[in-house]
Amino acid sequence: MRVYGVTGWKNSGKTTLMERLVEEITGRGFSVSTVKHAHHATEIDHEGRDSFRHRQAGAREVLVASPVRWALMHELRGANEPPLAELLTKLSPVDLVLIEGYKRESHPKVEAHRAETGRPLLAPDNPTVRAVASDTVPAGLDVPVFDLNDITAIADFILKEVGL
């Protein structure tokens, strides 16, 4: 499976970049799935829903199905978070999986960077960052730098990198 990441510090524009890349790449006829890493407990279910009640009762997995989508929730119940490689095996085959977060994993990435965050670039110390998408022009980088809003160029770069 072809995978490519978008990484960066909080509020650097990762999610917006992911959203725009998915739209651009699917618009070119490729199938795309995404993986989003959260560092905190993320709740996608809501109290009062039947599925929430099933989980609260102790179910390990709850699959919710409707005529327009289905979702599988898996409760870790104290087990360790599975590694990214294991999670990727749960996805159906697609042309490209875009991964948001997982900055320390070994897959190639584009770093989203906005000067207003005041955070340093990850690229100089992270060899998996193959390009930077920024609202400024950082100097002294050994990787390509794209305007954060030039989605066409960033998508072209990623698709070339993965051989699509």
Side-chain angles (χ1 to χ4, degrees):
M1 192 173 325
R2 293 173 171 103
V3 299
Y4 215 90
V6 172
T7 194
W9 298 108
K10 183 178 179 180
N11 297 320
S12 63
K14 296 181 305 289
T15 301
T16 300
L17 181 56
M18 285 281 291
E19 178 182 16
R20 294 176 73 194
L21 285 169
V22 170
E23 186 176 0
E24 174 72 23
I25 294 169
T26 59
R28 296 182 189 192
F30 295 106
S31 57
V32 176
S33 289
T34 65
V35 174
K36 162 70 174 134
H37 188 253
H39 293 284
H40 49 83
T42 300
E43 185 60 67
I44 60 171
D45 203 8
H46 302 286
E47 190 170 347
R49 298 279 189 197
D50 294 348
S51 53
F52 185 91
R53 294 172 60 193
H54 295 185
R55 288 186 312 116
Q56 290 300 106
R60 172 67 54 106
E61 291 187 327
V62 176
L63 192 145
V64 179
S66 76
V68 294
R69 76 184 50 87
W70 64 269
L72 177 64
M73 293 174 280
H74 181 97
E75 294 294 315
L76 293 176
R77 305 261 182 238
N80 291 330
E81 178 181 351
L84 177 60
E86 182 181 328
L87 294 172
L88 290 172
T89 68
K90 312 251 183 235
L91 296 175
S92 299
V94 291
D95 296 317
L96 177 65
V97 177
L98 290 173
I99 300 169
E100 181 178 342
Y102 288 102
K103 64 177 64 102
R104 291 176 186 86
E105 291 287 332
S106 63
H107 61 278
K109 302 165 192 70
V110 169
E111 178 180 354
H113 177 262
R114 290 184 342 160
E116 72 182 48
T117 67
R119 301 296 305 253
L121 284 162
L122 299 168
D125 299 318
N126 186 335
T128 66
V129 174
R130 302 279 180 83
V132 171
S134 182
D135 62 354
T136 62
V137 181
L141 290 176
D142 293 333
V143 297
V145 177
F146 298 97
D147 182 297
L148 190 54
N149 293 308
D150 192 351
I151 301 306
T152 300
I154 299 166
D156 288 344
F157 177 80
I158 290 171
L159 293 173
K160 183 178 178 186
E161 284 267 293
V162 299
L164 288 175

